């Protein structure tokens, strides 16, 4: 009798009624567009799901919505349930059932069932919040009924298709916008009579990548320690400090938060790792933690080296603990594990952009890296470098992929530079630098190898072969940027050291001699270059054999500089022999074979056969497009020369149209200040002059000259040519008048 009276007393509780602990509103709560979208959609019908990665503010948005409708008197019953486990949901429902449905709290399962029955039949207006829903298995059979007067709102880190099926409104919650993040930090600081430099506030927001939870904990930390944003940012950038050491202790977290950012991410990773394929998501996150957060090509994470790492570090989770697996992880397993990270909002996976398919929050990366020992990080860095090198195409036909691989290599270098130099430098470091040059970014490549050489000296010493290789690359790209004389001096100095350290017969020494000969020619000494190549060719034939690619390159260099020195007929015949050898040894589609064809076509035009040159370049362009792709610098150069010889052959209109189309692509691929872009602008203006519009040509050349003086310098040969042609155009325009 007493028990019945007690239940009846609870059942007769006053309305409206609140069950569960509604989280307090965050201090300086930042109103967001997502809050308005949520209110509008839930006003129409439910249920709704707020989905997003840990720390984006899903719980705060749900609490704000619940508090708003509660204070407006729009609901009679508000139930807040922590939905991280089935037991927690049942317990929350049981409490509600005891309060409003005359249920016995001593039997939680029956009490929960009674509450759901009540919700399905009552005329009362109710709202149930399922906060931090782990997955659909915990709510199977416990999802609230769909009723006109009832609303359900769940928050979750997951974005499974099944969850979308349970919700009418699936709302993805993203990070703060830069403006929202700055406004929040400013307001939070002002609440404690603190002001800071707006630029530092914006910088801190960017450093934490606009994650609301990280921002709230960071500002609480700096307020407690009386730091300004600039000092906190310095600590944040200090890699000797870990993320937990830069956030408040658990007992000092703001806004009633229970866990730190680091713990939030760790929990999400653990949940993802338990999804099928079990035990693969965590080591996959290891790989992703060292490379570019803004875009990782999927082929990197499914490369042979990556799969070997996933296999070696995969674990299964049972009641006893992790158990290693012997079954090799397949490419399909890796792809499925990536989807697990996506489902838990740990990564963004967009299969429609394979070059930048995977994006990861920088704080998630940091938490993952800091969970590894120094030795583990070092081994992981070498694995990532191996993976990048494995998928890097020798011919960079896909320029966007090459750019993504360079960005990932740069990120890897920032996070684990020392590991990439022990016991010796990893080849991917050199590959990334030469990729810059191959993409037409010669000045950037030169700067890259300048820094790489400094690091090589520090890590390996001045006489290590890899240090000498870095010097050789630096000297080469110095020449490509227009400083041929500087390249000659650099290679002369390098050759002295190579002869001392490696000896005269070493392949690197022979290559340095060939480069020295080439840049002597480019500096104006064609005869000296030809003589030097004769010696290089003799020694390479002896050391490497007549069909070695380096020997063929020396043969081509000898023919080229003999021609430049005046032996046109003999050099052309020799170059035709080089083409035949390269076709036989390297194949028709090898870049060196295509380059040989390019030079022969150019010489054909220089010899007076402009029509033949046009035909040869048209045929070559077809193969360049097929092998190298439309955006490769060599393809663009071929188009440039084809346009030029069209003009020389008398087709001024066709040449102008070809140069205008080419310029559009060069601006897109190489940029406004690239030397090849400047040359194309010059030649387009020259074609206008040839077509009779010397006034327009003079105006265009004036712009080219200004940019060349700024980018290349007043004494660069290209600048001098433009200055000469500008004077000629102005003179012709004056005569016309």
């Amino acid at each position: 009798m007493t028990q019945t009276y007690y239940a009846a007393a609870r059942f007769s509780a006053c309305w409206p009624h609140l069950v569960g602990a509604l989280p307090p509103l965050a201090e300086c709560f930042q109103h967001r567009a997502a809050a308005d979208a949520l209110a509008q959609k839930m006003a129409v019908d439910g249920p709704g799901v707020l989905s997003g990665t840990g720390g984006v503010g899903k719980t705060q948005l749900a609490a704000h919505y619940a508090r708003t409708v509660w204070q407006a008197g729009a609901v009679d019953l508000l139930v807040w349930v922590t939905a991280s486990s089935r037991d927690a949901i049942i317990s929350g429902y049981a409490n509600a059932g005891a309060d409003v449905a005359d249920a016995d709290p001593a039997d939680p399962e029956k009490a929960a069932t009674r509450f759901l029955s009540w919700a399905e039949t009552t005329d009362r207006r109710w709202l149930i919040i399922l906060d931090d829903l782990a997955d659909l298995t915990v709510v199977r059979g416990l999802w609230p009924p769909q009723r006109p007067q009832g609303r359900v709102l769940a928050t979750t880190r997951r974005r499974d298709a099944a969850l979308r099926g349970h919700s009418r409104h699936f709302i993805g919650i993203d990070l703060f916008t830069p403006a929202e993040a700055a406004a929040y930090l400013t307001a939070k600081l002002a609440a404690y009579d603190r002001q800071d430099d707006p630029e530092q506030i914006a910088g801190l927001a960017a450093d934490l990548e606009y994650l609301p939870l990280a921002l709230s904990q960071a500002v609480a930390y700096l307020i407690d320690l009386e730091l300004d944003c600039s000092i906190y940012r310095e600590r944040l950038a200090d890699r000797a400090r870990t993320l937990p050491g830069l956030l408040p202790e658990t007992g000092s977290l703001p806004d009633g938060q229970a866990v730190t950012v680091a713990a939030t991410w760790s929990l999400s990773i653990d949940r993802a790792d338990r999804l099928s394929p079990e035990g693969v998501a965590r080591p996959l996150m290891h790989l992703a933690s060292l490379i570019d957060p803004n875009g990782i090509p999927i082929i990197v994470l499914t490369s042979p080296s990556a799969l070997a790492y996933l296999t070696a570090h995969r674990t299964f989770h049972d009641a006893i603990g992790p158990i290693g697996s012997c079954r090799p992880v397949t490419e399909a397993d890796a792809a499925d594990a990536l989807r697990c990270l996506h489902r838990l909002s740990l990564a963004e996976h967009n299969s429609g952009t394979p070059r930048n398919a995977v994006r990861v929050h920088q704080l998630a990366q940091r938490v993952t890296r800091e969970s590894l020992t120094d030795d583990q990080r070092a081994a992981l860095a070498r694995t990532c470098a191996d993976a990048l090198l494995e998928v890097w195409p020798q011919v960079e036909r896909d320029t966007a992929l090459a750019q993504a691989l360079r960005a990932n290599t740069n990120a890897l270098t920032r996070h684990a530079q020392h590991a990439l130099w022990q016991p010796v430098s990893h080849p991917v470091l050199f590959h990334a630098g030469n990729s810059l040059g191959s993409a037409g970014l010669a000045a950037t490549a030169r700067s890259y190898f300048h820094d790489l050489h400094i690091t090589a000296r520090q890590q390996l010493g001045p006489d290590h072969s890899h240090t000498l290789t870095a010097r050789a690359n630096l000297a080469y790209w110095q020449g490509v940027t227009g400083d041929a004389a500087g390249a000659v001096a650099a290679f002369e100095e390098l050759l002295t050291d190579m002869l001392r350290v490696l000896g005269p017969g070493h392949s690197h020494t022979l290559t340095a001699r060939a480069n020295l000969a080439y840049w002597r020619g480019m500096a104006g000494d064609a005869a000296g270059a030809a003589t030097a190549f004769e010696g290089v060719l003799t020694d390479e034939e002896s050391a490497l054999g007549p069909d070695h690619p380096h020997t063929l390159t020396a043969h081509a260099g000898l023919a080229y500089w003999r021609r430049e020195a005046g032996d046109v007929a003999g050099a052309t015949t020799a170059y035709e022999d080089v083409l035949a050898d390269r076709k036989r040894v390297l194949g028709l589609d090898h870049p060196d074979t295509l380059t040989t064809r390019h030079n022969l076509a150019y010489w054909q035009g220089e010899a007076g056969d402009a029509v033949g040159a046009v035909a040869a370049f048209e045929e070559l362009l077809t193969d360049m497009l097929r092998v190298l792709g439309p955006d490769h610098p060599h393809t663009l150069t071929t188009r440039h020369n084809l346009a030029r010889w069209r003009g020389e052959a008398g087709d001024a209109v066709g040449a102008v149209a070809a140069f205008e189309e080419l310029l559009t692509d060069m601006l897109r691929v190489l940029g406004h200040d690239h030397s090849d872009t400047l040359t194309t602008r010059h030649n387009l203006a020259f074609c206008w002059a040839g077509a009779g519009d010397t006034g327009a040509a003079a105006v265009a050349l004036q712009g080219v000259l200004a940019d060349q003086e700024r980018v290349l310098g007043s004494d660069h040969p290209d600048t001098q040519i433009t200055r000469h042609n500008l004077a000629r155009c102005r003179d012709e325009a004056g005569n016309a008048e």
Side-chain angles (χ1 to χ4, degrees), residues 43-66:
V44 176
D45 195 4
V49 171
L50 295 178
S51 173
T53 192
V56 293
K58 303 180 297 296
T59 296
Q60 274 294 314
L61 286 169
H64 174 264
Y65 168 72

Side-chain angles (χ1 to χ4, degrees), residues 358-379:
V358 184
R359 297 176 183 269
V360 187
H361 196 284
Q362 293 182 32
L363 292 183
Q365 287 186 311
R366 182 166 182 167
V367 168
T368 304
R369 289 194 302 270
E370 291 176 354
S371 71
L372 303 171
T373 66
D374 290 343
D375 289 343
Q376 288 174 329
R377 280 197 300 272

Side-chain angles (χ1 to χ4, degrees), residues 643-662:
R644 177 202 163 175
W645 290 111
R646 277 179 176 163
E648 295 285 346
D651 184 9
V653 175
V656 168
F659 272 123
E660 288 176 339
E661 184 179 353
L662 173 63

Side-chain angles (χ1 to χ4, degrees), residues 540-686:
E540 287 194 338
E541 284 181 334
S542 175
L544 305 175
D547 287 344
H548 192 280
H550 290 186
T551 305
L552 297 178
T553 298
H555 194 182
L558 174 58
Y560 182 89
W561 291 111
R562 275 180 175 170
R563 185 187 188 285
E564 292 297 308
D567 184 8
V568 176
T572 301
T573 300
Y575 214 71
E576 289 173 345
D577 292 340
V578 172
L579 177 60
D581 289 340
R582 280 180 162 168
K583 286 180 177 179
R584 173 176 55 83
V585 176
L586 304 177
L588 295 174
D589 291 342
H590 192 279
D592 288 353
T593 305
L594 297 175
T595 298
T596 307
R597 289 173 58 192
H598 178 280
N599 287 342
L600 281 172
Y602 186 86
W603 289 352
Q604 188 172 1
E606 287 288 311
D609 185 8
V611 175
V614 169
F617 274 118
E618 286 177 338
E619 183 179 354
L620 175 62
L621 180 58
T622 299
D623 292 335
M624 286 275 193
L625 289 168
R626 174 176 54 82
V627 176
L628 302 180
D631 291 344
H632 195 282
H634 291 182
T635 305
L636 298 175
T637 300
T638 300
R639 288 175 59 191
H640 180 280
N641 283 311
L642 174 58
R644 177 202 163 175
W645 290 111
R646 277 179 176 163
E648 295 285 346
D651 184 9
V653 175
V656 168
F659 272 123
E660 288 176 339
E661 184 179 353
L662 173 63
L663 180 58
T664 298
D665 291 335
M666 281 195 160
L667 288 168
R668 174 178 55 83
V669 176
L670 302 179
H672 183 274
D673 288 344
H674 192 278
S675 60
D676 288 352
T677 305
L678 296 173
T679 300
T680 300
R681 289 171 58 195
H682 168 277
N683 287 347
L684 174 58
F686 197 76

Side-chain angles (χ1 to χ4, degrees), residues 471 489-501 508-513 516 520:
R471 283 176 62 189
F491 272 114
E492 286 176 339
E493 183 180 352
L494 173 63
L495 184 58
T496 299
D497 290 336
M498 281 190 164
L499 288 168
R500 173 178 55 83
V501 176
H508 289 184
T509 305
L510 294 171
T511 300
R513 287 174 58 193
L516 175 56
R520 277 179 178 163

Side-chain angles (χ1 to χ4, degrees), residues 290-328:
L290 287 182
I291 43 186
D292 187 18
N294 298 312
I296 306 169
I298 184 64
I299 56 175
V300 175
L301 299 177
T302 56
S303 65
S305 290
L307 295 180
Y309 180 87
L310 297 177
T311 298
H313 294 82
R314 181 181 189 179
T315 57
F316 285 108
H317 304 270
D318 67 357
I320 299 175
I323 301 177
S325 169
C326 296
R327 184 178 71 80

